[in-house]
Amino acid sequence: MPLKADLDAIDWKILRELQKDGRITNVELSSRVGISAPPCLRRVRKLEESGVIKGYRALLNSPALGFDVVAFCLVGLQHQSEAELRTFAERARNWPIVRRAWMVSGDSDFMLHCVATDLGTFQTFVIEELTSAPNVDTVRTALTIRQVKDEGLVAIG
């Protein structure tokens, strides 16, 4: 499968290092990828401008902040017209408890990654907001027990 972005070996090294540590200094990054700092910075800016690097954010420790429940919800809609799918996607974007959401294929139409302070808050969301939302037919939930892997979103060799 061809790559959508025109990247060389140095670009891949930059992406690997930034995915590991988004706060790395340009000087340290250039040292790790084997080029001097000015061209490294130019490459990073090019990767940002092209959209290969979408942005940067802090990864927060949810339990340390009192968010102890992580769950996934598989949602099936009664009708899957483009308008209905867009409407549900917009609704999902507006629910603060939903941190990530995907439209999926198969038995469900959406998969929602939810983070809540406690089980009661999550249950209230599922009962009062999610299952009662217009056009929602089925909701299957899966509470997580323990995270066993936490890597960057793209596997870079």
Side-chain angles (χ1 to χ4, degrees), residues 12-115:
W12 282 107
K13 287 179 183 178
I14 288 170
L15 293 173
R16 185 179 315 109
E17 294 301 326
L18 285 175
Q19 189 168 238
K20 282 190 232 172
D21 180 4
R23 289 183 51 130
I24 189 172
T25 66
N26 184 57
V27 171
E28 179 62 25
L29 178 61
S30 65
S31 172
R32 289 186 191 180
V33 302
I35 61 175
S36 64
C40 185
L41 184 58
R42 282 193 297 274
R43 283 174 176 262
V44 170
R45 287 195 177 134
K46 182 179 174 191
L47 291 166
E48 292 168 345
E49 290 165 3
S50 71
V52 171
I53 296 175
K54 289 178 17 176
Y56 302 89
R57 59 173 76 159
L59 299 175
L60 306 181
N61 180 339
S62 301
L65 297 169
F67 291 85
D68 293 322
V69 174
V70 176
F72 291 89
C73 298
L74 291 168
V75 180
L77 303 180
Q78 294 170 358
H79 309 286
Q80 292 81 19
S81 70
E82 186 62 32
E84 294 286 358
L85 293 168
R86 274 195 311 270
T87 298
F88 185 83
E90 183 60 32
R91 185 171 279 114
R93 281 191 285 274
N94 289 318
W95 283 320
I97 201 168
V98 175
R99 304 314 303 159
R100 304 188 84 195
W102 298 266
M103 188 182 300
V104 296
S105 64
D107 294 334
S108 299
D109 298 303
F110 286 88
M111 182 169 65
L112 310 179
H113 172 208
C114 302
V115 179

